[in-house]
Amino acid sequence: MAFESFGTMRVNEVGHLEIGGVDTLKLAQKYGTPLYVYDVALIKERARGFKKTFEELGVKAQVAYASKAFSAVAIYQLMHEEGLSLDVVSGGELYTAMQAGFPAERIHFHGNNKTRQELEMAIEYGIGCIVIDNFYEINLLAEVLRAKNTTISVLIRVTPGIEAHTHDYILTGQDDSKFGFGLTNGQAEEAIKRVLAMDDVFRLIGLHCHIGSQIFETTGFKLAAHRIMEQLVIWRNELDFHAEVLNLGGGFGVRYTADDKPLPPSQYVREIIADVREVALANDLEMPEIWIEPGRSLVGEAGTTLYTIGSRKEVPDIRSYVAVDGGMSDNIRPSLYEAKYDAVIAERPLEEPEETVSIAGKCCESGDMLIWDLPLPESDAGEVLAVFCTGAYGYSMANNYNRIPRAAVVFVEDGMDKLVVQRETYENLVQLDLPLY
């Protein structure tokens, strides 16, 4: 193939791009474009791969889907079927999970500024765990729990002072972060003391950390795990704190373009466990249950966005712009992070490139560019462009800029297609508007 395929993606007998046994041109005709297409088999493969590694190593664990990557009723139901837990970061994600019938006891609630209403909702639903992020939240959550005369399991989020090699906007584990309690500045220890002192409402089961996103090596994860485990030895001796759970977050890299070289998920897991086990054995520390939170690595490569090509602009001796019927309204990552993607013409993905073009979105914004300098065969208006690896943070960060309706989402598997999110209509866009007169 002229491109590196993902999951069940292939070129079918008529030369079209096919995903999950379904011709992408037929999907575009049936559901319209832009259209997010998810390869269900690939999502299942990734979910089972993470779980299998823990099982093979005999380590008690929870694999929680970090649902900020893509949140919808259908994906929550799929993750439930695969036996995963769920990481939510807002009342809206929590509400969606409950509408999907996701077991509340397997839901973990994150966030650096949870509101009283969100905390009350989480407690009323009976979720399994709240990850405490700051001192304000300790007191607020304690108030809510006492008012409801109940208790809840909590983790304390720490920033271990490890910098991941990734985009500055998505670094979260270093000392200068809006998330968590600093491990090196004493805040984490103070948080543990306060939470342990409130054992009438809190059951402190362990610690959480997340060092960043789209990470292609294991060094950062290993350093973070090692540093926290060494600190747990100190806190066991000094505070009589025994962590049942060590949640090492997510951030495992995926392949957006041929330049990206992610490791197999099993390698991240194996090396993390090795470091945790080493410190535990050397210090007679009970091996904690390991939790991880893959999000992008479960759904990113499983998503493909289909667009219809429209206008073309030639700037002599500079570049050729090819515009599509979507853009920063359905994928803001190129504008926000300078994220890079690969794409092909869905009707003839094997055809050799004849030119280099830049794929422009339709939003009224100069920065609305999806792909710069993409090699393609000569394209015509009306053809379908397939952009790969859009399964994470495409739909979840979609917006109505320029009053563009959000795109539809379809799942494909074994030759079947299932609409799981309807396309927004113009009527949807104004349904919350109130007239001035």
Side-chain angles (χ1 to χ4, degrees):
M1 297 177 73
F3 59 92
E4 200 170 354
S5 64
F6 299 86
T8 64
M9 192 180 291
R10 74 180 190 99
V11 176
N12 63 20
E13 59 280 356
V14 294
H16 298 172
L17 177 67
E18 179 182 288
I19 305 172
V22 184
D23 192 314
T24 53
L25 266 67
K26 292 182 178 178
L27 290 171
Q29 292 164 2
K30 183 175 181 179
Y31 298 107
T33 58
L35 179 68
Y36 302 103
V37 180
Y38 280 86
D39 183 349
V40 174
L42 181 54
I43 297 173
K44 290 179 178 179
E45 176 188 309
R46 293 290 166 81
R48 293 168 186 175
F50 277 112
K51 291 187 65 181
K52 182 181 179 183
T53 303
F54 284 110
E55 291 165 0
E56 288 175 347
L57 295 173
V59 174
K60 193 174 181 182
Q62 279 194 46
V63 179
Y65 170 53
S67 66
K68 63 181 181 177
F70 169 45
S71 176
V73 167
I75 193 67
Y76 287 163
Q77 290 175 332
L78 180 59
M79 295 303 178
H80 172 35
E81 289 176 5
E82 292 302 309
L84 269 60
S85 297
L86 190 65
D87 158 16
V88 301
V89 297
S90 72
E93 288 183 355
L94 176 56
Y95 180 81
T96 304
M98 300 312 295
Q99 293 302 301
F102 202 95
E105 66 274 11
R106 295 216 313 271
I107 297 177
H108 314 151
F109 198 162
H110 283 269
N112 70 306
N113 190 29
K114 306 177 191 73
T115 66
R116 180 183 294 270
Q117 182 184 25
E118 287 175 324
L119 293 173
E120 289 173 344
M121 180 189 301
I123 293 163
E124 288 166 5
Y125 284 144
I127 72 165
C129 176
I130 290 179
V131 183
I132 294 178
D133 200 274
N134 50 69
F135 291 114
Y136 168 79
E137 186 179 344
I138 293 175
N139 295 328
L140 177 60
L141 180 54
E143 275 182 36
V144 173
L145 288 164
R146 286 176 180 138
K148 293 184 176 294
N149 193 30
T150 190
T151 62
I152 198 165
S153 295
V154 297
L155 298 179
I156 288 177
R157 178 166 181 168
V158 302
T159 51
I162 305 297
E163 294 195 16
H165 297 290
T166 184
H167 195 295
D168 285 344
Y169 292 162
I170 45 181
L171 282 171
T172 55
Q174 77 283 14
D175 286 327
D176 185 7
S177 171
K178 76 173 190 177
F179 296 106
F181 300 93
L183 193 65
T184 58
N185 60 18
Q187 290 183 342
E189 182 167 318
E190 177 61 25
I192 290 171
K193 290 177 179 177
R194 293 191 194 185
V195 171
L196 287 174
M198 297 181 183
D199 59 0
D200 59 317
V201 287
F202 295 134
R203 179 171 176 264
L204 179 57
I205 60 173
L207 302 180
H208 171 279
C209 81
H210 178 70
I211 61 170
S213 298
Q214 192 60 352
I215 302 169
F216 293 109
E217 39 76 30
T218 61
T219 305
F221 292 108
K222 288 161 60 67
L223 284 171
H226 207 92
R227 182 172 291 182
I228 292 173
M229 285 296 291
E230 289 179 332
Q231 195 64 48
L232 282 174
V233 175
I234 296 171
W235 288 332
R236 177 197 61 184
N237 298 334
E238 296 182 357
L239 304 179
D240 194 29
F241 170 51
H242 302 264
E244 302 169 34
V245 172
L246 177 56
N247 188 330
L248 292 166
F252 315 113
V254 303
R255 175 169 51 91
Y256 282 101
T257 72
D259 294 331
D260 294 329
K261 306 295 182 184
L263 300 172
S266 60
Q267 186 171 342
Y268 292 107
V269 172
R270 289 178 186 277
E271 294 197 27
I272 289 169
I273 288 173
D275 267 71
V276 172
R277 188 171 267 157
E278 177 188 332
V279 179
L281 289 173
N283 295 276
D284 195 26
L285 191 70
E286 187 174 343
M287 181 76 177
E289 182 173 329
I290 304 296
W291 293 4
I292 58 170
E293 298 165 342
R296 185 198 318 260
S297 54
L298 289 174
V299 299
E301 294 176 7
T304 301
T305 305
L306 305 180
Y307 298 98
T308 299
I309 293 172
S311 66
R312 183 184 183 104
K313 177 183 178 180
E314 303 288 349
V315 183
D317 301 321
I318 298 179
R319 78 174 65 250
S320 299
Y321 290 93
V322 172
V324 295
D325 58 349
M328 64 189 297
S329 54
D330 57 77
N331 188 355
I332 202 171
R333 294 187 71 255
S335 300
L336 190 61
Y337 297 140
E338 299 180 354
K340 292 178 171 55
Y341 293 89
D342 282 335
V344 296
I345 295 175
E347 188 174 2
R348 42 200 176 99
L350 296 180
E351 194 168 311
E352 289 297 320
E354 298 173 344
E355 60 180 355
T356 297
V357 299
S358 292
I359 306 301
K362 66 173 290 175
C363 292
C364 191
E365 193 76 34
S366 295
D368 182 23
M369 296 294 300
L370 286 172
I371 306 174
W372 292 97
D373 302 326
L374 174 70
L376 277 185
E378 191 169 326
S379 59
D380 294 318
E383 291 193 294
V384 174
L385 184 76
V387 178
F388 304 131
C389 200
T390 59
Y393 305 106
Y395 177 79
S396 64
M397 297 179 81
N399 58 83
N400 293 128
Y401 185 53
N402 293 164
R403 285 262 149 155
I404 295 173
R406 287 179 177 86
V409 182
V410 64
F411 281 7
V412 292
E413 185 179 25
D414 296 332
M416 304 294 290
D417 52 272
K418 170 71 173 177
L419 184 67
V420 297
V421 180
Q422 294 183 28
R423 184 177 305 281
E424 279 186 331
T425 65
Y426 291 137
E427 289 77 14
N428 293 146
L429 292 178
V430 299
Q431 65 185 356
L432 299 180
D433 289 6
L434 298 175
L436 180 60
Y437 303 110

